[in-house]
Amino acid sequence: ILQHPTIVELAAEIERSTFDGDDLVELNRGEGGSPLFFLHTLGGQLLYTRNIIDHLDDRQPVFGVQQSASSDWLASMNDFSALARRYVDAIRTVQHHGPYRLTGYSYGGQLAHEIACQLRKEDESVSQLAIIDTGVRLSQLPVRPKRFSVAWTARFLNNLPNWFRDDLMRSSLQSVLYRIRLSWQRCLHFAGMRPGGDSHRRIEDFFSDDEILPQLRERMAKNLELLNHHSQHTYDGPLTIIKSQARPLFELCPPEEG
């Protein structure tokens, strides 16, 4: 869709394509220089990159790391680090050595971070690691932040107008009520009033059954399972954190504190 945005172009591509399921897709050919790599979201997609690419210099080469509909190998994948290693190998098919430039949104930020850690472990240079609205995994923090603290309450009240404008007003009532209920359940858990663990999140914590297609739901559940059992490594290079103005209603810990 990103490479062939019109119906005519997409139909022509379907006619001639074998859909071999390549991990790497060229999003902008550019004119040489260090390419920018985007990592896919929880559903394996790169749709979030379209508006970003529109604001980049046309001369900038851009590639995306994706999971296509024919990514049957994902079912046998049992380790998040191995998933990142597969993507490192894909990235190296177009750029053999650093400096590398990596960007990921949400789940893609976790992938970009792990890929950067692996590249640095091999003494490769990473000139850019940017994560966009990537949530903090509370199980990885040395000390868990406190819900209902003065600092949390201040953030909550400050975020309310942004959340109302950018989230509540742009979502269906059913979707909003579903997310509020799940957020409140997590709230009770961290207050010690409900069992459960943050390190094992489920797709149901993010989407209701009627929000996503079964095939996509299965892929998202697999990707989330890989992340749930992953222990984050320490990245020793510069990190750019990009976050939206409107935060989740009951966000416990902002990205910059993780």
Side-chain angles (χ1 to χ4, degrees):
I1 293 176
L2 293 172
Q3 292 176 305
H4 311 282
T6 69
I7 294 177
V8 173
E9 292 175 349
L10 190 59
E13 177 62 17
I14 291 173
E15 285 283 336
R16 63 174 176 266
S17 178
T18 58
F19 291 99
D20 55 4
D22 288 342
D23 295 341
L24 205 65
V25 58
E26 186 180 71
L27 301 178
N28 189 58
R29 186 173 300 276
E31 298 179 3
S34 179
L36 175 61
F37 295 94
F38 284 100
L39 281 301
H40 66 73
T41 57
L42 187 64
Q45 302 161 333
L46 292 163
L47 295 177
Y48 76 92
T49 65
R50 183 169 185 177
N51 289 336
I52 299 176
I53 293 173
D54 287 343
H55 291 85
L56 298 177
D57 191 318
D58 289 339
R59 296 170 295 180
Q60 171 64 56
V62 182
F63 290 86
V65 180
Q66 67 173 358
Q67 290 173 351
S68 69
S70 58
S71 296
D72 297 333
W73 52 265
L74 182 61
S76 60
M77 185 69 64
N78 57 14
D79 185 78
F80 188 80
S81 294
L83 178 64
R85 168 50 55 183
R86 178 185 176 97
Y87 294 158
V88 167
D89 294 340
I91 288 171
R92 280 182 164 159
T93 62
V94 296
Q95 184 180 356
H96 301 301
H97 297 287
Y100 292 96
R101 301 172 63 200
L102 307 168
T103 299
Y105 164 69
S106 190
Y107 185 85
Q110 301 280 3
L111 280 170
H113 180 271
E114 175 60 22
I115 290 171
C117 288
Q118 293 190 16
L119 290 170
R120 291 295 300 124
K121 189 175 181 180
E122 298 172 5
D123 293 324
E124 291 285 2
S125 171
V126 178
S127 61
Q128 174 184 312
L129 172 58
I131 61 175
I132 307 169
D133 276 346
T134 297
V136 176
R137 295 181 61 207
L138 301 178
S139 60
Q140 299 291 310
L141 296 178
V143 178
R144 285 199 174 195
K146 294 181 178 180
R147 184 86 73 171
F148 306 126
S149 66
V150 173
W152 181 88
T153 303
R155 284 201 304 266
F156 175 84
L157 295 175
N158 186 62
N159 179 56
L160 268 180
N162 298 324
W163 175 81
F164 183 84
R165 182 190 66 240
D166 295 337
D167 193 351
L168 180 63
M169 299 303 293
R170 298 184 182 184
S171 303
S172 69
L173 179 60
Q174 180 183 6
S175 176
V176 170
L177 291 176
Y178 181 82
R179 293 201 304 274
I180 289 177
R181 179 174 63 84
L182 289 174
S183 295
W184 180 247
Q185 289 175 350
R186 288 196 292 269
C187 212
L188 294 178
H189 160 62
F190 287 111
M193 300 171 62
R194 172 179 172 266
D198 174 77
S199 59
H200 291 83
R201 304 288 283 278
R202 305 167 303 165
I203 292 300
E204 292 77 10
D205 292 335
F206 304 97
F207 302 99
S208 60
D209 290 338
D210 56 355
E211 282 188 283
I212 49 179
L213 297 173
Q215 184 180 11
L216 178 58
R217 187 183 195 84
E218 182 179 346
R219 183 188 307 169
M220 295 172 77
K222 179 62 177 182
N223 282 323
L224 188 58
E225 176 189 352
L226 295 176
L227 182 60
N228 278 337
H229 294 90
H230 175 63
S231 296
Q232 271 182 335
H233 302 106
T234 301
Y235 175 64
D236 62 357
L239 171 66
T240 300
I241 296 175
I242 303 170
K243 64 176 186 176
S244 59
Q245 186 177 22
R247 310 304 305 156
L249 185 59
F250 291 108
E251 181 177 55
L252 182 57
C253 182
E256 66 270 20
E257 294 185 9

